[in-house]
Amino acid sequence: MAESWSFLDTVEPNFRPLVVIELAKGTKEETIEWFTKRIVDKKANGGAQLLVKPLGTENGEENIYLVGASHLRLLLGAETVGLVKECSDNSMRTFTYSSRKTFKDFADDNHNFLTIAECQYIIKHELENLRAKDEKMIPGYPQAKLYPGKSIVRRLLTNGILVQIFPLHDREELKKLRHSWYGRVKVGYQPLDEIRCYFGETIALYFGFLEYFTFALIPMAVIGIPYYVFAWEDYDKYVMFATFNLLWSTVILEVWKRICAIMTYRWGTLLMKRQFEEPRPGFHGVLGINPITGKEEPVYSSIKRQIRIYLVSLPFVCLCLYFSLYVMMIYFDLEQWALDYHEANESTFSSLMLFVPSIIYAVVIEIMNRIYRYAAEFLTSWENHRLESSYQNHLILKVLVFNFLNCFASLFYIAFVLFDMKLLRQSLATLLITSQVINQFAESVFPYWLQKRHTKRMKKRMCSMKRDTDLSLVEQVNLEKEMGTYLGTFDDYLELFLQFGYVSLFSCVYPLAAVFAVLNNITEIYSDALKMCRVYKRPFAEPTANIGVWQLAFETMSVISVVTNCILIGMSPQVNALFPDSKMDLMLTVALVEHLLLAIKFIMAFVIPDKPRDIQIKLAKLEFESLEALKQQVRAPDMHNSQK
Amino acid sequence: MAESWSFLDTVEPNFRPLVVIELAKGTKEETIEWFTKRIVDKKANGGAQLLVKPLGTENGEENIYLVGASHLRLLLGAETVGLVKECSDNSMRTFTYSSRKTFKDFADDNHNFLTIAECQYIIKHELENLRAKDEKMIPGYPQAKLYPGKSIVRRLLTNGILVQIFPLHDREELKKLRHSWYGRVKVGYQPLDEIRCYFGETIALYFGFLEYFTFALIPMAVIGIPYYVFAWEDYDKYVMFATFNLLWSTVILEVWKRICAIMTYRWGTLLMKRQFEEPRPGFHGVLGINPITGKEEPVYSSIKRQIRIYLVSLPFVCLCLYFSLYVMMIYFDLEQWALDYHEANESTFSSLMLFVPSIIYAVVIEIMNRIYRYAAEFLTSWENHRLESSYQNHLILKVLVFNFLNCFASLFYIAFVLFDMKLLRQSLATLLITSQVINQFAESVFPYWLQKRHTKRMKKRMCSMKRDTDLSLVEQVNLEKEMGTYLGTFDDYLELFLQFGYVSLFSCVYPLAAVFAVLNNITEIYSDALKMCRVYKRPFAEPTANIGVWQLAFETMSVISVVTNCILIGMSPQVNALFPDSKMDLMLTVALVEHLLLAIKFIMAFVIPDKPRDIQIKLAKLEFESLEALKQQVRAPDMHNSQK
């Protein structure tokens, strides 16, 4: 085995480790040899043509390998994954090796042309596309079946031979990023471009959205404060506030699309063509022919999946929703009991007791959400979706519906069944603040504390053999491999989504919600940044052009909030006083206003273009150029034929 | 000039005329010579490489030319316009000349591989893409400026030198089509594929939609008949009918998208890539640089256009809407007067008089619609849109809003202000039937009669010199060039759209509307077919993949109809009787049901896939193949570089 390493070492003396592969302890020698050979093998032989190096044999850890690649290999890989980079003439174009000279900042010795995140993404892509040739199984593991074209890494992962693959932190870069991100107390924007270079587009886009959303809430918060300070109770003011909120939320969601387009155009992902989607790792089925690619791969009947979705998942979700409503009713009983208690023996203790049911309920909701989340993941995985995107959509849908009901059902009940605006305001405040505190704690503070403790212990264990810089790499890898895995932006978006619900659904009752949301989001930016940089393993970059299904979720929420706010305003005594003789007229007016607002929302969403004009022109220009190129290709034989 | 014809005549002895070019009488000789030379010139010299022939010099008519093309030229043109044809393996692929052997039914001597409509579309495309090289003006017309890249045909058209270009009817084919379309009394589908071959996809899609829509209305009509026959007045039955209608209309609109995808996939237009859109002929501005193509062309400031739209067109449209409402109020005064008259002196005459205001109003509406249409066309043209599609969208929007208000405002007024269900039913019936009769008459019967008369006169004038088959062509061209021009499917769709409004907006009040709609549509199919085949000039085929903005318009109408029907049901005395003590409960229930129905509609629209699964798979397969081809292209240099 040593020969292959020595050969590579002579070719590339300054091997730069980018990605870590951790195999299960006690993996058979022949498997390791075969796998590493496939990784370093030439493209022509079906290899990935990457560089690989064991981490260090001193303390006998033979199960961790570092993967890198030569500069040339990375550039060719950038072409394969279809990266889009800026040209010297400021236009964005798909990178190809042959046209490399036309790109901005390109030089043969400039190793910073590709960001580290891009390099790691390329290596991940190449590793995942390492496919079986004529092997029938993983050598040494007859139960791990292979067939031509099956991704080797995915098979190794599903069989537990491969524990994990993760990209290595770059300590220098991370330090710089930390400093400019949250290292100093400052007022200003996040360094989104640097975040994108280090963590990739998906995460940068989340932070971009978080920041944008926080700024967008500020007008609501500013308008909301005087309502609290002066205890304004005139509903004409509330109506103004609610109307502003509703139109504002439409505007901010539409404007976000434009800002998102500007960012992702600059990052190149707006133009990036998606590769053909492979089955997700967990997908299983009998071997058959894929009707699209014509290749052999597991197939699973779509009807079976539909049956599982509609006959098992759907009833289960409904049951959970029912259970959640049941818990809610218990909460109201508790609430009533606390109120009775307070009335019977009035004291500071009893008035504090008034808040207890809400706090308990908020905690229970959080727990239920988390349990349901596991069930939803299990069910969605059992539904056996072929594509990761379809899996994600079904999971997000399940989780969203449940979380929505859990968080808002009690508020709807209070508002539209009990008609108790005072209780609504109080519950809203308790729910909002409790959930924010719990989230901040559960997401960052607690894991950070765990991580700190763990690091200390690790350092203590290792300091005995601490010698030189090379060992520091071993130490780093060992530290990072034990860190938690960041599971994607789902939870972070979900939190924002629910917060948006608290702010917008009942905005005319509790204008202060926006203030809390803004305060929470400012700390959220810092705690999420801390989480990304210090608590979790570095995640692989994932190119993306927008926030996907979340845009739809936020838009749906803003439609629902039009309905709730109109009803709330219609129910207010002040508005009722305007229609003293006819409740009918009041209801008709409310319904009319609601439909009008909805119509305005839809028209606004339709009229405001999703992309700014200059981005539209740039995109049109690119499309025009590719059509022209196609025409030239077509015209060539045309000319030829017409000569004869 | 004779040399060039004689040269072509020897090359292609059986010249088949496809397209007619009519120049203005007295066009200068040098202009004709230059223009025809450009048409026949080689592609390499910037010509269109088509065949052209004067119609016939006997009676001195030098201003009409016939254009044709060799079979080879048409095949190359099919590649240029990006036609999609069926391969031998039943997949649809973009036609290229080099891969011609792989296409189904292709043979070098099979001149029916391309349909006549396709051949004519290719010739039109080639003529329109005949561009100025270094000419500064049209020879002989110094005021007709040219600049490099300007479409010559468009300049000739705007300067009135070119009167018209139209495709010639094929008498044999037309006879066959007429026979299978409406020539015999039969129950069954229209020959949509034949219509598509003869008239192109846009028109075939209209007839497809008309037929589909008629079939889709049949269930509504069938359910509606007993309501009329047994004079059912129980509102629980009406509620059932309305609910069925609302969900049904969502289903039919979603299913139409699928059927449309199946048809256009078969026709190849679903896969056809649109060419880059050129400025529409009427567009004017100072010469500048197009930021997308980088070419010189007229540019017009977008801000100026916005000002024209928002400061002139929008106020004008609002004024027209106001005027229309004013006319409506006059109608109600008339209606009241007729009622008073009827009550004062009751007689058959006075009861007939009751219908007079409605009929007058329907006629006035038709007239106002037509006048407004001209104003809208003028305004939209004055807004100076660069693209034909943008022009069309603005025009359609203007016309739709006005027509909607004109047709339905009185009904809304009767229903929701007067609360007079009897009058509503009567007005609905009168409006629906009157507008259908007027339309059928104005659209087909009257033009057909004019056409008939004109043909007779023409025949009389020509019979003196009737000699052989060649003269029959001259006769045909002379007849056809005088025929009216079919202005596109706009009016036909508009008529269907308004009909859909009559049927769905008040369906729970007048279930018989669907019956009238079905009856009208059956005759409409025949009268429209007659119109296409006998009244109008043959239109150029226009490839299209869907019904475009009309899908959106129909969907909007079906959303509005949910609202109106819910209110109507809520207002009915029977439903009111269910809530004897509380109007509030009634209103809340109605609002709840309405929102529920709207939610179901949106979920249904979201859940039903727009394309059937097999079409999805076929499209994915094609995309996969093109990605693979791209990868192969990419891998080639990759391999090469990795060897060194």
Side-chain angles (χ1 to χ4, degrees):
Chain A
M1 218 168 90
E3 298 91 66
S4 57
W5 307 135
S6 61
F7 168 72
L8 272 167
D9 283 342
T10 56
V11 173
E12 187 86 10
N14 44 0
F15 171 83
R16 183 193 188 194
L18 285 168
V19 171
V20 178
I21 295 182
E22 185 186 358
L23 296 168
K25 283 197 175 154
T27 303
K28 289 183 187 153
E29 190 72 5
E30 62 172 318
T31 313
I32 296 178
E33 192 169 349
W34 168 77
F35 185 43
T36 49
K37 180 156 185 323
R38 287 300 303 270
I39 294 175
V40 296
D41 217 353
K42 290 227 169 96
K43 264 274 175 192
N45 303 335
Q49 211 159 1
L50 301 171
L51 309 172
V52 71
K53 210 177 180 177
L55 178 60
T57 45
E58 282 96 335
N59 57 356
E61 288 192 89
E62 261 289 18
N63 61 330
I64 295 177
Y65 290 85
L66 301 173
V67 182
S70 68
H71 184 54
L72 174 66
R73 179 72 194 82
L74 287 173
L75 290 178
L76 294 171
E79 183 171 332
T80 313
V81 299
L83 282 196
V84 174
K85 295 293 242 175
E86 194 175 359
C87 280
S88 310
D89 62 346
N90 293 326
S91 65
M92 305 295 298
R93 270 159 223 281
T94 306
F95 178 80
T96 61
Y97 186 73
S98 53
S99 66
R100 63 193 181 281
K101 305 278 187 213
T102 60
F103 285 85
K104 204 175 177 176
D105 297 330
F106 183 88
D108 278 324
D109 56 345
N110 177 11
H111 287 212
N112 292 325
F113 176 68
L114 298 173
T115 68
I116 324 167
E118 282 168 347
C119 294
Q120 290 170 336
Y121 173 70
I122 291 165
I123 289 181
K124 177 188 167 223
H125 179 266
E126 294 293 343
L127 285 176
E128 283 189 342
N129 274 284
L130 201 57
R131 289 170 189 289
K133 289 182 295 186
D134 37 14
E135 296 99 334
K136 288 268 166 290
M137 47 155 215
I138 304 275
Y141 295 85
Q143 80 282 12
K145 295 268 185 300
L146 286 177
Y147 46 87
K150 171 72 188 173
S151 163
I152 291 171
V153 166
R154 294 193 169 197
R155 175 54 78 228
L156 287 170
L157 272 172
T158 46
N159 278 63
I161 304 165
L162 189 59
V163 178
Q164 60 179 344
I165 300 184
F166 65 91
L168 213 53
H169 268 299
D170 182 315
R171 293 181 149 198
E172 281 305 304
E173 289 288 326
L174 184 60
K175 209 171 163 189
K176 266 192 264 173
L177 177 66
R178 282 216 310 262
H179 180 71
S180 64
W181 200 356
Y182 63 90
R184 55 213 155 116
V185 179
K186 43 113 211 192
V187 181
Y189 301 108
Q190 296 172 87
L192 288 179
D193 287 337
E194 289 173 43
I195 298 172
R196 176 245 164 184
C197 287
Y198 196 85
F199 286 114
E201 287 79 14
T202 305
I203 288 165
L205 215 50
Y206 163 68
F207 281 101
F209 183 68
L210 177 57
E211 179 177 289
Y212 170 79
F213 189 63
T214 309
F215 275 107
L217 285 179
I218 287 178
M220 290 193 193
V222 168
I223 299 178
I225 288 174
Y227 282 84
Y228 180 75
V229 175
F230 304 116
W232 282 345
E233 288 285 334
D234 353 357
Y235 265 76
D236 51 341
K237 288 207 185 73
Y238 270 63
V239 169
M240 264 172 50
F241 181 70
T243 314
F244 169 77
N245 265 10
L246 298 177
L247 297 182
W248 184 243
S249 66
T250 311
V251 172
I252 60 176
L253 289 175
E254 287 302 310
V255 172
W256 164 250
K257 283 191 216 156
R258 296 166 67 94
I259 290 180
C260 182
I262 294 174
M263 282 203 288
T264 53
Y265 177 79
R266 195 173 61 222
W267 296 341
T269 46
L270 189 63
L271 294 167
M272 207 166 157
K273 298 265 187 307
R274 292 300 291 173
Q275 304 286 319
F276 182 76
E277 242 184 312
E278 298 282 324
R280 57 187 297 269
F283 178 68
H284 55 87
V286 287
L287 218 59
I289 302 290
N290 180 328
I292 293 164
T293 60
K295 285 183 193 155
E296 249 195 354
E297 69 167 42
V299 287
Y300 186 77
S301 144
S302 156
I303 293 161
K304 268 193 201 166
R305 187 178 306 127
Q306 300 285 334
I307 289 175
R308 285 186 173 184
I309 291 174
Y310 289 107
L311 295 189
V312 180
S313 296
L314 191 64
F316 175 79
V317 171
C318 291
L319 206 75
C320 286
L321 296 181
Y322 176 78
F323 180 72
S324 158
L325 288 177
Y326 190 79
V327 169
M328 188 185 85
M329 296 318 291
I330 295 176
Y331 156 66
F332 283 112
D333 287 347
L334 268 180
E335 187 82 42
Q336 192 56 47
W337 174 82
L339 207 68
D340 291 347
Y341 180 83
H342 176 65
E343 269 167 20
N345 27 0
E346 221 160 305
S347 67
T348 329
F349 173 73
S350 72
S351 64
L352 274 176
M353 276 293 283
L354 279 178
F355 284 92
V356 171
S358 297
I359 293 171
I360 292 178
Y361 184 54
V363 173
V364 168
I365 280 180
E366 277 299 319
I367 294 171
M368 274 179 11
N369 274 344
R370 272 152 214 274
I371 294 173
Y372 176 81
R373 178 72 184 278
Y374 285 108
E377 272 170 16
F378 173 78
L379 271 179
T380 316
S381 151
W382 176 73
E383 281 162 22
N384 202 13
H385 293 274
R386 189 180 162 272
L387 299 181
E388 184 64 29
S389 57
S390 151
Y391 170 85
Q392 286 294 340
N393 286 343
H394 276 85
L395 180 61
I396 290 180
L397 187 67
K398 282 194 189 73
V399 176
L400 269 194
V401 169
F402 187 73
N403 274 274
F404 183 85
L405 193 85
N406 244 343
C407 290
F408 301 117
S410 66
L411 299 174
F412 276 94
Y413 184 80
I414 294 171
F416 305 125
V417 180
L418 302 182
F419 298 115
D420 187 341
M421 290 305 126
K422 200 165 152 266
L423 182 61
L424 176 62
R425 209 169 300 171
Q426 183 196 311
S427 303
L428 193 58
T430 326
L431 270 177
L432 179 65
I433 296 166
T434 322
S435 74
Q436 287 185 349
V437 170
I438 291 181
N439 265 314
Q440 295 259 0
F441 188 77
E443 245 183 46
S444 316
V445 185
F446 185 64
Y448 181 64
W449 174 74
L450 275 184
Q451 178 61 27
K452 261 270 157 83
R453 244 185 69 195
H454 177 76
T455 312
K456 257 189 206 147
R457 230 186 309 139
M458 285 290 281
K459 277 217 172 123
K460 218 177 272 171
R461 200 147 58 86
M462 291 228 203
C463 66
S464 57
M465 43 174 162
K466 203 170 190 168
R467 272 192 310 250
D468 54 52
T469 48
D470 199 51
L471 194 66
S472 156
L473 178 69
V474 174
E475 196 185 83
Q476 187 195 346
V477 170
N478 275 313
L479 272 177
E480 285 184 17
K481 86 178 164 65
E482 299 299 327
M483 282 170 137
T485 306
Y486 179 66
L487 293 167
T489 48
F490 182 92
D491 286 300
D492 297 317
Y493 277 115
L494 182 63
E495 203 182 318
L496 274 186
F497 172 74
L498 295 177
Q499 185 193 70
F500 183 58
Y502 287 125
V503 172
S504 63
L505 285 179
F506 306 98
S507 60
C508 65
V509 173
Y510 190 56
L512 215 56
V515 179
F516 284 110
V518 168
L519 289 179
N520 175 70
N521 286 1
I522 291 171
T523 59
E524 179 89 18
I525 290 176
Y526 287 95
S527 68
D528 280 353
L530 184 80
K531 182 174 86 177
M532 291 311 304
C533 294
R534 316 231 34 179
V535 177
Y536 288 120
K537 244 181 244 132
R538 183 177 187 175
F540 273 109
E542 200 58 57
T544 182
N546 51 51
I547 62 171
V549 71
W550 291 106
Q551 184 82 39
L552 185 70
F554 275 81
E555 281 167 9
T556 308
M557 181 70 95
S558 98
V559 168
I560 296 174
S561 68
V562 170
V563 181
T564 53
N565 277 296
C566 284
I567 302 177
L568 282 177
I569 291 174
M571 280 176 1
S572 69
Q574 285 84 347
V575 172
N576 270 270
L578 293 176
F579 297 88
D581 39 337
S582 165
K583 287 266 174 270
M584 278 294 273
D585 284 356
L586 166 68
M587 296 258 330
L588 281 175
T589 314
V590 169
L592 196 73
V593 168
E594 186 220 330
H595 284 86
L596 218 68
L597 279 173
L598 283 178
I600 292 175
K601 266 184 90 74
F602 281 108
I603 291 172
M604 268 166 69
F606 194 78
V607 166
I608 300 176
D610 285 358
K611 295 187 184 92
R613 213 181 138 69
D614 60 321
I615 301 274
Q616 277 176 29
I617 288 179
K618 281 170 184 165
L619 291 180
K621 196 174 170 179
L622 272 177
E623 210 196 317
F624 172 75
E625 280 171 8
S626 78
L627 276 175
E628 283 298 294
L630 207 74
K631 255 192 223 163
Q632 291 307 320
Q633 270 189 339
V634 168
R635 206 158 283 166
D638 179 318
M639 290 298 206
H640 172 73
N641 283 304
S642 58
Q643 301 299 316
K644 61 180 184 184
Chain B
M1 218 169 89
E3 298 92 66
S4 57
W5 307 134
S6 61
F7 168 73
L8 271 166
D9 283 341
T10 56
V11 173
E12 188 85 11
N14 43 359
F15 171 82
R16 183 192 187 197
L18 287 167
V19 172
V20 178
I21 295 182
E22 185 185 359
L23 296 169
K25 282 199 175 151
T27 303
K28 291 185 184 150
E29 190 74 4
E30 60 172 319
T31 314
I32 296 177
E33 191 167 350
W34 168 79
F35 184 43
T36 49
K37 179 156 187 322
R38 286 300 301 270
I39 294 175
V40 296
D41 218 352
K42 288 225 169 96
K43 262 276 174 191
N45 304 335
Q49 214 160 358
L50 301 170
L51 308 172
V52 71
K53 211 177 180 178
L55 177 61
T57 46
E58 284 95 336
N59 57 355
E61 287 191 273
E62 260 290 18
N63 61 329
I64 295 177
Y65 291 85
L66 301 173
V67 182
S70 67
H71 184 53
L72 174 66
R73 180 69 193 86
L74 288 173
L75 290 178
L76 294 172
E79 183 170 333
T80 313
V81 299
L83 281 196
V84 174
K85 294 292 242 175
E86 193 175 1
C87 281
S88 310
D89 62 346
N90 292 328
S91 65
M92 305 296 297
R93 268 160 225 280
T94 306
F95 178 79
T96 61
Y97 185 73
S98 53
S99 66
R100 62 193 181 281
K101 305 276 186 217
T102 60
F103 285 85
K104 203 172 176 176
D105 297 331
F106 183 88
D108 278 324
D109 55 346
N110 177 11
H111 287 214
N112 291 327
F113 176 68
L114 298 174
T115 67
I116 323 166
E118 281 168 347
C119 294
Q120 290 169 335
Y121 173 70
I122 291 165
I123 288 180
K124 176 187 169 228
H125 179 266
E126 294 292 344
L127 284 176
E128 284 190 340
N129 274 283
L130 202 56
R131 285 167 194 292
K133 288 184 294 185
D134 39 14
E135 296 97 334
K136 288 270 167 290
M137 47 156 217
I138 304 275
Y141 293 85
Q143 80 282 13
K145 295 267 184 302
L146 286 177
Y147 46 87
K150 172 72 189 175
S151 164
I152 291 170
V153 166
R154 294 196 168 194
R155 174 55 77 228
L156 288 170
L157 273 171
T158 47
N159 276 62
I161 303 164
L162 189 59
V163 177
Q164 60 179 343
I165 299 185
F166 63 91
L168 213 55
H169 269 298
D170 181 315
R171 294 181 146 198
E172 281 305 305
E173 289 288 326
L174 184 61
K175 207 172 165 188
K176 265 192 262 172
L177 177 66
R178 280 215 311 262
H179 180 72
S180 65
W181 199 357
Y182 63 89
R184 56 211 155 117
V185 178
K186 44 115 211 192
V187 180
Y189 301 107
Q190 297 172 88
L192 287 179
D193 288 336
E194 288 173 45
I195 297 171
R196 176 243 165 186
C197 286
Y198 196 84
F199 286 113
E201 287 80 12
T202 304
I203 287 165
L205 216 49
Y206 163 69
F207 281 101
F209 183 69
L210 177 56
E211 178 179 288
Y212 170 79
F213 189 63
T214 309
F215 275 108
L217 285 179
I218 288 178
M220 290 193 194
V222 168
I223 299 178
I225 289 173
Y227 283 83
Y228 181 75
V229 175
F230 303 116
W232 282 343
E233 287 285 334
D234 355 357
Y235 265 77
D236 52 339
K237 290 209 185 72
Y238 269 63
V239 170
M240 264 172 50
F241 181 69
T243 314
F244 170 78
N245 265 10
L246 297 177
L247 297 181
W248 184 242
S249 67
T250 310
V251 171
I252 61 176
L253 290 175
E254 288 301 312
V255 172
W256 165 249
K257 284 191 214 158
R258 295 165 68 92
I259 289 178
C260 181
I262 294 173
M263 280 201 289
T264 53
Y265 177 80
R266 194 172 64 222
W267 296 343
T269 46
L270 189 63
L271 293 168
M272 206 167 157
K273 297 264 186 309
R274 291 300 291 174
Q275 304 285 318
F276 183 76
E277 241 183 311
E278 298 282 326
R280 56 188 296 269
F283 178 67
H284 56 85
V286 287
L287 218 59
I289 303 290
N290 181 328
I292 294 163
T293 60
K295 284 181 194 156
E296 250 194 353
E297 67 166 45
V299 287
Y300 187 75
S301 146
S302 158
I303 293 162
K304 269 193 200 164
R305 186 179 305 126
Q306 300 286 334
I307 288 174
R308 286 185 174 186
I309 291 174
Y310 289 108
L311 296 188
V312 180
S313 296
L314 190 64
F316 175 80
V317 171
C318 291
L319 205 76
C320 287
L321 296 180
Y322 175 79
F323 179 72
S324 158
L325 287 178
Y326 191 78
V327 168
M328 188 186 86
M329 294 319 291
I330 296 177
Y331 155 65
F332 283 112
D333 288 347
L334 268 180
E335 187 81 44
Q336 192 55 46
W337 175 83
L339 208 67
D340 291 347
Y341 180 83
H342 177 65
E343 268 166 22
N345 29 357
E346 221 160 306
S347 67
T348 329
F349 172 72
S350 74
S351 64
L352 273 176
M353 275 293 281
L354 278 179
F355 285 92
V356 170
S358 297
I359 291 170
I360 292 178
Y361 184 53
V363 172
V364 168
I365 280 181
E366 278 298 319
I367 293 170
M368 275 183 5
N369 274 345
R370 272 152 214 272
I371 293 174
Y372 176 81
R373 178 70 183 280
Y374 285 108
E377 271 171 15
F378 173 78
L379 271 179
T380 317
S381 154
W382 176 72
E383 282 161 20
N384 201 14
H385 294 273
R386 189 180 162 273
L387 299 181
E388 185 63 32
S389 57
S390 150
Y391 171 85
Q392 287 294 339
N393 286 342
H394 277 86
L395 180 62
I396 289 180
L397 187 68
K398 283 194 191 70
V399 177
L400 269 194
V401 169
F402 187 73
N403 274 274
F404 183 85
L405 193 84
N406 242 345
C407 289
F408 301 117
S410 65
L411 298 174
F412 276 94
Y413 184 80
I414 295 171
F416 305 125
V417 179
L418 301 182
F419 299 114
D420 188 342
M421 291 306 125
K422 199 163 153 268
L423 182 61
L424 176 62
R425 206 170 301 170
Q426 182 195 312
S427 303
L428 193 59
T430 326
L431 270 177
L432 179 65
I433 296 164
T434 321
S435 74
Q436 286 183 351
V437 170
I438 291 182
N439 265 315
Q440 296 259 0
F441 188 77
E443 245 183 46
S444 317
V445 185
F446 185 63
Y448 183 64
W449 174 75
L450 274 184
Q451 180 60 29
K452 262 270 158 79
R453 244 185 67 193
H454 177 76
T455 312
K456 254 187 208 151
R457 230 186 310 140
M458 285 290 280
K459 276 213 175 124
K460 216 176 274 171
R461 197 146 60 89
M462 291 226 204
C463 66
S464 57
M465 42 176 162
K466 205 169 189 171
R467 272 194 308 252
D468 55 52
T469 47
D470 199 51
L471 193 66
S472 157
L473 178 70
V474 174
E475 194 185 82
Q476 186 193 345
V477 171
N478 275 314
L479 271 178
E480 287 184 17
K481 87 177 164 67
E482 299 297 328
M483 282 171 137
T485 306
Y486 179 66
L487 293 167
T489 48
F490 182 93
D491 286 300
D492 297 316
Y493 277 116
L494 182 63
E495 200 183 322
L496 273 187
F497 172 75
L498 295 177
Q499 184 193 68
F500 184 59
Y502 288 123
V503 172
S504 63
L505 284 179
F506 307 96
S507 60
C508 64
V509 174
Y510 190 56
L512 216 57
V515 180
F516 284 109
V518 169
L519 290 179
N520 175 69
N521 286 0
I522 291 170
T523 57
E524 178 88 19
I525 290 175
Y526 287 96
S527 69
D528 279 352
L530 182 80
K531 182 174 86 175
M532 291 311 305
C533 294
R534 315 234 30 177
V535 176
Y536 287 121
K537 242 181 243 130
R538 183 175 187 176
F540 274 109
E542 199 57 57
T544 184
N546 50 54
I547 62 171
V549 72
W550 291 106
Q551 183 82 37
L552 185 71
F554 276 81
E555 280 167 10
T556 308
M557 181 70 94
S558 97
V559 167
I560 297 174
S561 67
V562 170
V563 181
T564 52
N565 277 296
C566 284
I567 302 178
L568 283 177
I569 290 173
M571 281 176 2
S572 69
Q574 286 84 346
V575 171
N576 272 271
L578 293 176
F579 297 87
D581 39 340
S582 165
K583 287 268 174 269
M584 277 293 273
D585 285 356
L586 165 68
M587 297 260 327
L588 280 176
T589 314
V590 169
L592 195 74
V593 168
E594 186 221 328
H595 284 86
L596 218 70
L597 279 173
L598 282 177
I600 292 174
K601 265 183 90 74
F602 281 107
I603 292 172
M604 267 166 69
F606 194 77
V607 166
I608 300 174
D610 285 358
K611 297 187 183 90
R613 213 180 138 70
D614 60 321
I615 301 275
Q616 276 177 29
I617 287 178
K618 281 172 184 163
L619 291 180
K621 196 172 170 180
L622 271 178
E623 210 195 319
F624 171 75
E625 280 171 6
S626 79
L627 275 176
E628 283 296 295
L630 207 72
K631 255 193 225 161
Q632 292 306 322
Q633 270 191 337
V634 169
R635 206 159 282 166
D638 180 318
M639 289 299 205
H640 172 74
N641 283 303
S642 57
Q643 302 299 317
K644 58 178 184 187

